[in-house]
Amino acid sequence: MGSLPSDIDIFLSTKFTHLVIGGGTAGLVVATRLAEDESITVGVLEAGESAYDEPRINIPGRFGETLGTEYDWQFATVPQPGLNGRSLPWPRGRVLGGTSALNFMTWNRACREDYDVWEELGCEGWGWDGLLPYFKKSEHLHPSSTKHQLANHSYHDPLSHGTTGPIHTAYSTQYGASHQYWHDTLEKLGVETNKSHFSGSNVGAWTSLTSVEPELRERSYSATAYYRPNTSRENLVVLTGATVEEVLLKRDWDSEWIAYGARFTYQGEEHEVNVEGEVIVCAGSVQSPQLLELSGIGNPDILRAAGVESKVDNPAVGENLQEHMMTCTIYEIDPQIPTLDALRSNPTLFAAAEKEYATHHDGMLTAIPSSLLRPPSPPPLHPAPATTSSSAASRAITVKD
């Protein structure tokens, strides 16, 4: 009896119309949506492995434990002049599901203006009105009860959420001790509670939604929400443990460079896969431009210095990336108040929390930081100078806003 074909044999013998490089947050969404068309055959190459049963990924209260592990590419920035030369870690997911398997499960949305400026820059359809239907399409909101809303300020506007999408979103059942004071304290400081922070403005204080499936209280991310329900599709083939080294390019009849496949490494051996249609690069904000440059697409000066043949001159590749900082404030509190820090330093307390989570899908291990705030914009430090009215009759002084 012959042996069953291996994963690599199946992948290389499949004729793909579309190849997605990167089975992460975006890559699995693109691949599964494409595979809804049965005339399309989609291949996905992902460097990481699947980790469906990994408790450090699945259990909400264990957020952050995968950073710096085998599930993280463990990138670091170059030394930062503004930080006295320090280099900072830059976590990126090296696992099926990408960084959606590593993030802290805070389900949020930017303000309308943040998206509208994309459209103003020429990205048609990428403004708030164009994107909102797709935000809703991805989401399956499990709304909180009236009792929960009153107790935890877990408000939402139903018109701004989806209820049939793959990603489950729900409010936590457990909150840190300080959360009970969050909204009232900020109200006294003049910061109002925003009861519809998904509706185009997240200015104010709010209790955040989480990307957590509410029955089992497990992380909902692209691998479990998009790909796993579609593993039986014959026109969707995912190969994990495959690191792409290059997008393969060739000249077409009009002497333009076109992508026709990818070169990748799997278990120490190099392979090539060809595609009849499109190659879609979804390798993340760091590795997508890196892969394009390794393939000869980018700034010719940078490519030349790296010993890479320049094929497509595009100096914008790898430029203008802006990343936000995560800055933590550390303070001491009464040791009688239970926190997730206590779980991580007290094995007995952690074991009790694990048992409660396993038995009832509840308890401290379901808690995620959910007390969020976007303060109103402060007034300018230097108001505009006063100007004299040109009306000789009034000689009024007007101040520009």
Side-chain angles (χ1 to χ4, degrees), residues 46-130:
E46 166 55 38
E49 301 289 350
S50 62
Y52 294 130
D53 299 321
E54 173 57 72
R56 291 175 295 172
I57 290 176
N58 294 336
I59 298 176
R62 299 188 66 173
F63 66 88
E65 290 188 27
T66 51
L67 304 186
T69 69
E70 70 273 25
Y71 301 119
D72 182 0
W73 282 99
Q74 301 183 41
F75 294 142
T77 69
V78 298
Q80 300 295 301
L83 297 175
N84 198 28
R86 282 191 297 141
S87 176
L88 299 181
W90 196 342
R92 295 282 91 188
R94 194 175 192 268
V95 61
L96 191 67
T99 310
S100 71
L102 269 61
N103 66 27
F104 292 0
M105 289 161 277
T106 298
W107 187 257
N108 200 8
R109 192 177 294 164
C111 288
R112 169 186 288 271
E113 293 82 2
D114 296 317
Y115 301 108
D116 285 347
V117 73
W118 290 352
E119 191 158 43
E120 292 169 8
L121 291 170
C123 301
E124 184 178 354
W126 285 76
W128 171 268
D129 292 331

Side-chain angles (χ1 to χ4, degrees), residues 299-343:
N299 185 323
D301 294 335
I302 293 176
L303 300 184
R304 192 178 303 112
V308 177
E309 177 190 357
S310 178
K311 297 177 181 178
V312 179
D313 183 346
N314 188 337
V317 173
E319 303 296 328
N320 304 314
L321 174 63
Q322 298 182 25
E323 176 65 297
H324 66 280
M325 298 275 289
M326 185 178 79
T327 304
C328 298
T329 301
I330 300 173
Y331 54 92
E332 294 185 11
I333 63 172
D334 188 327
Q336 300 301 314
I337 299 176
T339 68
L340 289 175
D341 286 341
L343 289 186

Side-chain angles (χ1 to χ4, degrees), residues 194-217:
N194 188 335
K195 295 185 177 182
S196 58
H197 55 277
F198 279 85
S199 302
S201 173
N202 53 27
V203 174
W206 72 92
T207 300
S208 177
L209 273 168
T210 64
S211 51
V212 171
E213 194 282 319
E215 296 299 322
L216 297 177
R217 286 290 157 181

Side-chain angles (χ1 to χ4, degrees), residues 14-185:
T14 302
K15 293 184 178 180
F16 295 114
T17 60
H18 292 71
L19 178 66
V20 177
I21 298 174
T25 307
L28 291 181
V29 175
V30 170
T32 54
R33 290 295 311 281
L34 284 171
E36 293 174 5
D37 183 343
E38 295 182 357
S39 68
I40 288 175
T41 302
V42 184
V44 180
L45 291 169
E46 166 55 38
E49 301 289 350
S50 62
Y52 294 130
D53 299 321
E54 173 57 72
R56 291 175 295 172
I57 290 176
N58 294 336
I59 298 176
R62 299 188 66 173
F63 66 88
E65 290 188 27
T66 51
L67 304 186
T69 69
E70 70 273 25
Y71 301 119
D72 182 0
W73 282 99
Q74 301 183 41
F75 294 142
T77 69
V78 298
Q80 300 295 301
L83 297 175
N84 198 28
R86 282 191 297 141
S87 176
L88 299 181
W90 196 342
R92 295 282 91 188
R94 194 175 192 268
V95 61
L96 191 67
T99 310
S100 71
L102 269 61
N103 66 27
F104 292 0
M105 289 161 277
T106 298
W107 187 257
N108 200 8
R109 192 177 294 164
C111 288
R112 169 186 288 271
E113 293 82 2
D114 296 317
Y115 301 108
D116 285 347
V117 73
W118 290 352
E119 191 158 43
E120 292 169 8
L121 291 170
C123 301
E124 184 178 354
W126 285 76
W128 171 268
D129 292 331
L131 289 174
L132 181 59
Y134 296 97
F135 292 151
K136 296 168 66 173
K137 187 180 182 70
S138 69
E139 182 186 24
H140 183 153
L141 171 67
H142 300 266
S144 55
S145 66
T146 301
K147 180 179 178 181
H148 190 284
Q149 291 178 23
L150 294 174
N152 301 292
H153 296 80
S154 53
Y155 304 109
H156 69 282
D157 175 7
L159 297 178
S160 300
H161 295 272
T163 56
T164 59
I167 297 291
H168 293 276
T169 63
Y171 287 98
S172 293
T173 57
Q174 297 279 333
Y175 294 94
S178 64
H179 184 73
Q180 61 183 304
Y181 306 111
W182 182 252
H183 291 270
D184 290 344
T185 299

